[in-house]
Amino acid sequence: MPRLTALATATVLSAVVGCTAIVPATSSAAASLSPAATSALAANAPVVRVLSLGDSITFGRGSCTGNGYRGPLQDLATAGGRYAIDFVGSQLNGVMNDPANEGHPGYTVRQIRDGVSSGWLSAARPDVVLLHAGINDLNQYADGTTTANEAVALVNQIFATQPGVTVIMQGLITSTTGMNNPMPADLAAKIDTFNRRLADEESAQQLAGRHFRFVAAPDLGQSRMNDGLHPNDAGYAAFAQGFFTPLDQAYSAHWFSGGNTQLPRPEDTVRLVNLKDGRLRNAEGNFSAGQWSSWSDMGADSITEVTSAATFSVNRVFAIRDGRIHEKDGNYATGQWTGWFEPAFANQLPVRPVSVSASALNHSLHLVVIGEDGHLYNVDADYEGGRWTTWTDHGGNFKRVASATTTDNVNHIFAVDAATNQVVEKDGDYCAGKWSSWTVSGASPFTAQDVAASASGRTVHVSAVAPNGTWARTDGDFAAGQWNGWTPMPGSGISRITSATANNVEHVFATSGGRLKELDINHTTGTWNSWGEPAGGADSKSATAAFTR
């Protein structure tokens, strides 16, 4: 990878403000932490290992970002400046840099206790456990007393597994209406019984010398609930305050002290897939170490188009083969790949696909294709829940497509209009549940033959190839509601382009003269490098790239 050099012009980033900067880490302890922890460490504050333990509310269901209460709780701790939170656990969810948790959607109290017994706590080694559980039992018609007794047994199991740990339990939300049909009888009374029993448990646990607190959940009403069980982001913010106050009090009481825990830095490895002569090969580029793996054949032929997107550690590759969509998934946490298969939604597409793009946020993936009729279609996957939606026809007459999902859960689709060759945009807001109309993308129209997109926070980076083989790029800051202008970039003879962004560095891959090229743009320093050939070089028709977390 060539050394980054200064930008030839300052206009590339000057019009974009408010971009989330995720700076590539250095070897210092602070750089190994999330931004929240780094801020606290700057004041020599200790790092506290926190295990968020529970069900789907702990996981973050109903939260648009997936952060649930953990994101705002981390913000509260950072603002306090006395300690940094290092979230631990085997689950991942949320757009925050530290998405670890032990929230298991649908789990009952007994199932959570079984998980503690089987090693969740031992693996996480927390200083503090933030516990919230029990509503799934009541939603499945259990009674309040039995469920409360199960919760007490869970608390005892936690202390038996790790004596000396601090446990803060937040009660069930009183505005919960349930989600079963018919609704559980007397659900409000069962919630009250549960909460009263656990409130009484606080003094019993403390008399036994254990660091246990029980706090009532805030009254969220219906305006701060996403559905009958889960808060929305406003509700989760109140829920976070409910945990922060006793957490801060416990720290003042010296129930825990924290330490100099070293968090693993975000992985900085791009998963690159190259298409040539109908076959796919993949390679991994570790930009921290400055090295590439060798190319590996992906065991497919007759491929015409390819795209990819990562849901945490899994890179999901979608290819058009024989006029149908096929998928292959690589889990970089386990080192295992699936074989090629046709996903369940594939045969529901009413036309043959000719162009395809994927983007992802947390466990959700958004796939868009252009059909042979020129229309744009989209379908969405929830890989945590194991569900796909049906196809939606957005009309139009297009020939190329790219997409990027920002951290506010908006899927930004960019397509080349087949009639005007202009880059146009349509945005799907998955929080608000609505789509925008098609509009010309960027600060001004751009005529293109191909388009690429990736995102940093709420900023989208769009690259487009002009009919003469040159290219330009622009940034859309959706937090500020503005685009900067199209900036001409170095390079010629380009036919296809793709990009992936991580740690605020945009990695652009292009096919030029039949070869795969790479150029990297550092949005923190305002620098880019010269074109080089990644992974030792390769002949190419097109490529796709994604970063796993």
Side-chain angles (χ1 to χ4, degrees):
M1 278 148 278
R3 179 177 62 85
L4 290 172
T5 55
L7 286 174
T9 172
T11 61
V12 173
L13 300 176
S14 61
V16 177
V17 295
C19 179
T20 302
I22 308 173
V23 184
T26 67
S27 59
S28 68
S32 298
L33 302 171
S34 66
T38 300
S39 175
L41 277 186
N44 297 316
V47 179
V48 177
R49 294 174 65 86
V50 174
L51 180 69
S52 294
L53 177 64
D55 49 35
S56 56
I57 290 177
T58 297
F59 187 74
R61 282 276 178 87
S63 165
C64 189
T65 62
N67 292 339
Y69 71 76
R70 292 171 285 109
L73 177 61
Q74 191 173 67
D75 292 341
L76 288 168
T78 301
R82 300 202 295 163
Y83 49 87
I85 290 179
D86 173 7
F87 285 111
V88 294
S90 64
Q91 298 287 89
L92 298 173
N93 195 40
V95 299
M96 55 197 295
N97 284 349
D98 189 9
N101 66 90
E102 206 63 70
H104 295 264
Y107 271 36
T108 63
V109 176
R110 180 177 289 274
Q111 288 175 307
I112 295 169
R113 181 164 54 124
D114 290 343
V116 171
S117 300
S118 67
W120 291 349
L121 210 67
S122 302
R125 298 178 292 105
D127 301 306
V128 179
V129 174
L130 302 181
L131 177 62
H132 180 76
I135 193 60
N136 286 327
D137 300 68
L138 302 187
N139 191 55
Q140 296 169 23
Y141 311 114
D143 68 82
T145 299
T146 300
T147 304
N149 290 337
E150 291 279 6
V152 171
L154 168 58
V155 171
N156 290 333
Q157 182 65 54
I158 293 171
F159 284 118
T161 303
Q162 189 172 328
V165 73
T166 294
V167 179
I168 301 173
M169 183 174 188
Q170 190 160 179
L172 301 182
I173 301 168
T174 56
S175 54
T176 300
T177 59
M179 294 183 67
N180 272 324
N181 187 18
M183 295 297 183
D186 302 322
L187 180 59
K190 293 178 179 180
I191 291 174
D192 183 67
T193 298
F194 178 94
N195 286 340
R196 287 177 182 273
R197 172 67 179 88
L198 270 298
D200 291 341
E201 186 64 19
E202 180 180 88
S203 59
Q205 293 287 342
Q206 291 184 13
L207 285 172
R210 294 169 169 175
H211 295 159
F212 178 75
R213 284 289 309 274
F214 177 85
V215 293
D219 183 6
L220 301 182
Q222 295 307 307
S223 65
R224 293 188 289 181
M225 294 292 287
N226 179 274
D227 53 35
L229 289 181
H230 308 98
N232 57 26
D233 283 324
Y236 275 121
F239 209 76
Q241 185 66 60
F243 270 131
F244 176 69
T245 298
L247 179 68
D248 219 40
Q249 292 169 346
Y251 181 75
S252 296
H254 305 292
W255 279 11
F256 58 89
S257 58
N260 295 320
T261 305
Q262 191 81 356
L263 302 183
R265 66 173 301 282
E267 186 173 286
D268 194 11
T269 301
V270 67
R271 316 302 180 181
L272 180 64
V273 176
N274 183 46
L275 170 61
K276 172 63 177 176
D277 295 331
R279 294 195 67 83
L280 298 177
R281 295 190 299 163
N282 72 293
E284 281 71 51
N286 187 323
F287 290 92
S288 298
Q291 62 188 21
W292 281 91
S293 71
S294 57
W295 291 101
S296 299
D297 190 272
M298 297 188 69
D301 53 21
S302 303
I303 304 296
T304 56
E305 291 288 324
V306 64
T307 188
S308 63
T311 55
F312 289 101
S313 65
V314 182
N315 187 29
R316 305 186 186 275
V317 181
F318 298 88
I320 298 177
R321 181 183 187 186
D322 299 326
R324 298 178 68 85
I325 297 173
H326 293 72
E327 179 180 353
K328 184 182 181 75
D329 302 328
N331 189 325
Y332 285 87
T334 64
Q336 297 179 330
W337 280 88
T338 67
W340 286 101
F341 63 94
E342 287 193 56
F345 65 85
N347 61 6
Q348 300 171 1
L349 184 65
V351 296
R352 291 167 63 91
V354 296
S355 184
V356 61
S357 178
S359 64
L361 185 72
N362 300 326
H363 299 277
S364 297
L365 183 140
H366 309 300
L367 190 69
V368 293
V369 305
I370 296 173
E372 59 185 357
D373 57 358
H375 289 199
L376 186 137
Y377 300 83
N378 88 287
V379 66
D380 307 306
D382 175 2
Y383 281 97
E384 189 273 325
R387 296 183 295 270
W388 283 90
T389 65
T390 56
W391 290 98
T392 298
D393 184 350
H394 294 274
N397 182 23
F398 307 110
K399 57 183 181 181
R400 293 292 183 203
V401 65
S403 61
T405 301
T406 45
T407 52
D408 55 350
N409 210 4
V410 177
N411 185 22
H412 304 272
I413 299 175
F414 305 91
V416 178
D417 188 281
T420 65
N421 291 324
Q422 288 183 348
V423 178
V424 294
E425 176 186 355
K426 187 180 182 75
D427 303 321
D429 187 334
Y430 284 83
C431 290
K434 62 182 180 181
W435 285 87
S436 70
S437 301
W438 287 105
T439 59
V440 172
S441 185
S444 60
F446 188 90
T447 301
Q449 63 174 338
D450 197 21
V451 64
S454 55
S456 300
R458 290 189 62 188
T459 297
V460 175
H461 312 296
V462 181
S463 297
V465 180
N468 65 359
T470 62
W471 71 294
R473 61 174 312 284
T474 182
D475 303 292
D477 182 348
F478 287 87
Q482 64 185 31
W483 285 89
N484 61 8
W486 290 96
T487 300
M489 300 293 288
S492 60
I494 297 172
S495 56
R496 299 297 302 272
I497 197 164
T498 191
S499 68
T501 299
N503 296 337
N504 218 28
V505 178
E506 179 186 358
H507 305 269
V508 180
F509 301 93
T511 299
S512 177
R515 298 286 290 178
L516 186 62
K517 308 287 186 178
E518 177 194 356
L519 181 146
D520 304 322
I521 303 167
N522 189 319
H523 291 282
T524 301
T525 62
T527 58
W528 60 34
N529 59 13
S530 56
W531 285 104
E533 292 199 350
D539 292 338
S540 178
K541 175 186 174 184
S542 66
T544 181
F547 279 89
T548 56
R549 296 175 63 189

